[in-house]
Amino acid sequence: MKALVKKQGGEGLWLQDVPEPEIGINDVLIKIKRTAICGTDLHIYNWDDWAQKTIPVPMTVGHEFVGEIVEVGSNVNDYRAGQIVSGEGHVVCGRCRNCMAGRRHLCAQTSGIGVDRPGAFAEYLSLPMANVWEHREGIDLDIASLFDPLGNAVHTALQYDLLGEDVLITGAGPIGAMAAAVCRHAGARHVVITDINPQRLELAKKLGATYTVNPVQEDLADVRKKLGMSEGFDVGLEMSGNPSAFKDLLANMCHGGKVSILGIPSESLAIDWNTVIFNMLTLKGIYGREMYETWYKMSVMIESGLDISQVITHRLHYTEFQQGFDAMNAGEASKVILNWE
Ligand code: NAD
Ligand code: ZN
């Protein structure tokens, strides 16, 4: 079968013929229909320090996908050929304290598809049945391929009550922009989003942000005044990984404000702990998606009208993958979909 492989160190990915994956008794075989390119895939493509330390080569990459089950292992009774599925890319151990307690997203022995084990940028993927998410009938395949990053947005945004609240999102990348849509869908009042890239701010507006801020041009304190918010934001979602964006966010929260942090800073950073302490802020780190409450919320929100379609900026055939990675590297793309049919 064809697969996009990190064949060796250095920049790039290679479209290669590799053996079809074998499935174990607890696995399903999925024929891939669509995949989406994640920031993580870009790190692997560019072979940065993180990728060099993390990715054993050769490795078939990719973890954002939708496909059709074509075969199931002998132990699999709940799934059958023909079902349209995505899957949780974090494969957990199943035996640790958190896994046993049903807190699988907190497993410390997670292995990632397309990072630690063969990924989804391929014609076929073998996945444990415990990681399968079956889609509701009639779902748009491009949207279905985005459930992994949409899950990051949903997991981060739904940490706290949003109905009637004022939300600040720092970073209008694909995940920040989708989070804006989720916050609006969940009934937030103001959804203010920041980015230094005007194209990305425009996109976030299309997805539902009520006010966009370029921090180089406008101060968040002024924005609060303009919107009549005397006490600061109720909920903050850090989705940039940028130190100054994070500090700005903390400085503009209300007393008792609640912050969830998804963005990954490239190095350690200092914050004003006095703000956290005296304003009694709650800070929570977010990783991945909750298994499978986040997935359930995604399916029902899409069913009830959540529209994230505008986040897709490129639709390409998998053989045109180079174009997709170039657009990502140039900062021109938000979500790039690759069609494997
Ligand atoms: P992205 O890199 O596409 O988006 C980040 C955005 O932040 C960019 O648009 C960038 O222009 C913007 N930004 C940079 N400096 C800024 C500043 N000073 N103020 C405001 N915005 C600024 O990433 P993404 O795919 O949307 O993901 C968002 C973040 O979440 C990234 O840091 C990513 O590494 C991280 N992430 C975390 C998890 C997790 O499980 N914790 C999963 C996926 C992604
Ligand atoms: Zn575990």
Side-chain angles (χ1 to χ4, degrees), residues 49-93:
D49 289 343
W50 170 84
Q52 290 179 33
K53 268 186 273 168
T54 314
I55 309 294
V57 290
M59 174 64 69
T60 296
V61 300
H63 55 273
E64 303 180 355
F65 70 94
V66 62
E68 180 180 340
I69 295 181
V70 289
E71 197 186 327
V72 302
S74 59
N75 225 7
V76 179
N77 295 310
D78 296 332
Y79 297 106
R80 57 189 153 65
Q83 288 177 311
I84 299 295
V85 299
S86 289
E88 172 54 57
H90 290 172
V91 178
V92 300
C93 79

Side-chain angles (χ1 to χ4, degrees), residues 25-28 75-79 127-133:
I25 58 170
N26 292 316
D27 301 332
V28 304
N75 225 7
V76 179
N77 295 310
D78 296 332
Y79 297 106
L127 193 72
M129 64 173 159
N131 283 60
V132 173
W133 184 255

Side-chain angles (χ1 to χ4, degrees), residues 37-40 42-43 63-64 90 148-149 152-153 155-156 169-178 193-198 200-201 213-216 238-246 248 261-266 285-289 328 331 333-335:
I37 302 177
C38 171
T40 302
L42 201 62
H43 289 295
H63 55 273
E64 303 180 355
H90 290 172
D148 175 295
N152 295 134
H155 188 190
T156 313
I169 304 171
T170 45
I175 300 181
M178 288 191 282
I193 192 164
T194 71
D195 205 295
I196 48 171
N197 177 337
R200 293 207 143 176
L201 288 176
V213 180
N214 185 334
V216 181
E238 205 312 289
M239 298 188 149
S240 73
N242 180 278
S244 83
F246 183 36
D248 232 16
I261 307 160
L262 182 89
I264 303 170
S266 56
I286 304 290
Y287 180 55
R289 298 141 297 276
M328 295 276 290
S334 191
K335 286 317 285 191

Side-chain angles (χ1 to χ4, degrees), residues 307-328:
D307 183 4
I308 53 159
S309 53
Q310 300 276 354
V311 80
I312 301 168
T313 52
H314 295 67
R315 289 178 172 85
L316 301 165
H317 193 249
Y318 75 89
T319 51
E320 302 168 306
F321 73 93
Q322 188 62 54
Q323 221 176 301
F325 280 90
D326 289 347
M328 295 276 290

Side-chain angles (χ1 to χ4, degrees), residues 91-100 103-104 106-110:
V91 178
V92 300
C93 79
R95 297 304 305 169
C96 69
R97 178 180 176 184
N98 278 320
C99 280
M100 293 297 278
R103 299 183 293 259
R104 287 178 279 182
L106 296 177
C107 177
Q109 281 121 51
T110 298

